[in-house]
Amino acid sequence: MKEIILCVFEGVKTEPDLFRSIEMYFFSENSIIKTSYGNNLYHLYKELSQDNDLDIVELVRESTTVPGNARLLGDYSRDDISQVYLFFDMDPHDTRYSPSTLMSMVQLFDEETEHGKLFVSYPMVEAIRDLSRRDAFLNTVIDVVECGDYKRISADRCDKEFLQTKKYSRKVWQEILIWNTQKANYIAFDSKISLRLECTQVDILQGQLGKYLSRHQLAVLSGFAIFIVDYHGPTILTATDSNPG
């Protein structure tokens, strides 16, 4: 019997659309339940602060914003699900954002077999496409004051081959994974640009807070790309098999 994976996306359209491409190339052999929370990370923080059980499965099932979750989850309990992954935007322009709140969430959701594992996109899910061969991705940043307009900015400055995620080839995905892995290590450890993911989500956030947010900027990074590498390990960065999962 296949293990059951639960993915909890922030939004109801962009993230599930992106994940279809991810699933085709990297998780075709896995059994994945895909749900949407329908609100952002800081709303989730508020809800969890009022929930002593910290049961993300029940919280998502009972969502009034996305009532279809109840059907998707059926009679599954947390014990039936082997791994839980959450995908949310950092959204530093949200009035409820604070470094301590975000760090609390990253530290709480740090193990997929327990409460779940959180992968944050900096600043948003559109970081997946914010790539250009003209500029080194290591240096791609966004000013915090511009994050509210990031959807347009990322679309305007990316190379067109990265604009539509549903058209990504396996080769394009390979580039995205390599660039984001190197960038994550760079954010966390400065010069340690490795093809092995050396850092945790806490390391990445600490790097963002210390080196970028202190200058009112964010280093662009895709939580979805980091998830793929974290799940499969370093061999995914050199794999040619289109179905490594």
Side-chain angles (χ1 to χ4, degrees), residues 189-201:
F189 305 125
D190 286 324
S191 61
K192 196 167 187 177
I193 304 170
S194 168
L195 275 182
R196 179 183 293 271
L197 188 63
E198 308 278 0
C199 55
T200 66
Q201 289 290 296

Side-chain angles (χ1 to χ4, degrees), residues 36-74:
S36 296
Y37 178 60
N39 217 315
N40 72 12
L41 190 60
Y42 308 108
H43 189 274
L44 176 61
Y45 176 82
K46 181 181 177 182
E47 278 205 287
L48 288 172
S49 67
Q50 301 166 351
D51 180 5
N52 293 329
D53 293 332
L54 291 176
D55 188 336
I56 192 68
V57 175
E58 289 308 310
L59 192 151
V60 170
R61 189 201 312 276
E62 295 168 4
S63 168
T64 57
T65 309
V66 190
N69 287 341
R71 174 183 55 81
L72 291 170
L73 285 167

Side-chain angles (χ1 to χ4, degrees), residues 7-20 34-40 60 63-69 71-72 87-89 125-126 151 224:
C7 288
V8 182
F9 306 123
E10 175 173 327
V12 297
K13 179 167 175 52
T14 303
E15 293 90 337
D17 285 350
L18 169 60
F19 202 81
R20 288 190 189 97
K34 297 170 286 293
T35 63
S36 296
Y37 178 60
N39 217 315
N40 72 12
V60 170
S63 168
T64 57
T65 309
V66 190
N69 287 341
R71 174 183 55 81
L72 291 170
F87 303 89
F88 282 81
D89 298 345
V125 61
E126 286 79 12
K151 294 185 195 314
F224 284 89

Side-chain angles (χ1 to χ4, degrees), residues 48-225:
L48 288 172
S49 67
Q50 301 166 351
D51 180 5
N52 293 329
D53 293 332
L54 291 176
D55 188 336
I56 192 68
V57 175
E58 289 308 310
L59 192 151
V60 170
R61 189 201 312 276
E62 295 168 4
S63 168
T64 57
T65 309
V66 190
N69 287 341
R71 174 183 55 81
L72 291 170
L73 285 167
D75 295 327
Y76 288 119
S77 70
R78 178 65 186 89
D79 291 338
D80 298 321
I81 296 169
S82 60
Q83 301 158 57
V84 178
Y85 297 99
L86 301 91
F87 303 89
F88 282 81
D89 298 345
M90 182 194 179
D91 283 339
H93 54 291
D94 189 285
T95 57
R96 294 167 294 184
Y97 160 76
S98 74
S100 61
T101 296
L102 183 54
M103 184 60 76
S104 293
M105 294 297 280
V106 170
Q107 290 174 333
L108 174 64
F109 292 104
D110 68 342
E111 176 52 61
E112 63 271 19
T113 59
E114 295 178 8
H115 296 311
K117 190 165 188 175
L118 171 63
F119 289 88
V120 179
S121 287
Y122 297 90
M124 299 174 174
V125 61
E126 286 79 12
I128 195 74
R129 70 185 182 195
D130 195 359
L131 300 161
S132 171
R133 300 187 191 284
R134 301 182 304 275
D135 304 299
F137 183 56
L138 287 179
N139 300 323
T140 301
V141 298
I142 182 76
D143 291 339
V144 171
V145 295
E146 295 184 316
C147 285
D149 198 26
Y150 184 65
K151 294 185 195 314
R152 180 193 62 78
I153 291 171
S154 61
D156 287 349
R157 72 185 185 184
C158 74
D159 286 353
K160 297 312 173 188
E161 67 183 295
F162 300 114
L163 186 58
Q164 298 186 54
T165 58
K166 65 183 178 182
K167 294 184 178 181
Y168 285 179
S169 66
R170 181 64 171 79
K171 180 177 180 294
V172 166
W173 268 115
Q174 196 77 6
E175 291 180 294
I176 291 171
L177 298 186
I178 290 171
W179 291 345
N180 275 273
T181 298
Q182 293 175 327
K183 179 81 168 276
N185 291 328
Y186 181 71
I187 293 168
F189 305 125
D190 286 324
S191 61
K192 196 167 187 177
I193 304 170
S194 168
L195 275 182
R196 179 183 293 271
L197 188 63
E198 308 278 0
C199 55
T200 66
Q201 289 290 296
V202 170
D203 294 329
I204 293 168
L205 177 54
Q206 287 175 335
Q208 293 278 16
L209 293 173
K211 292 188 295 188
Y212 295 93
L213 277 163
S214 59
R215 304 196 304 260
H216 309 290
Q217 292 182 319
L218 276 178
V220 171
L221 189 74
S222 171
F224 284 89

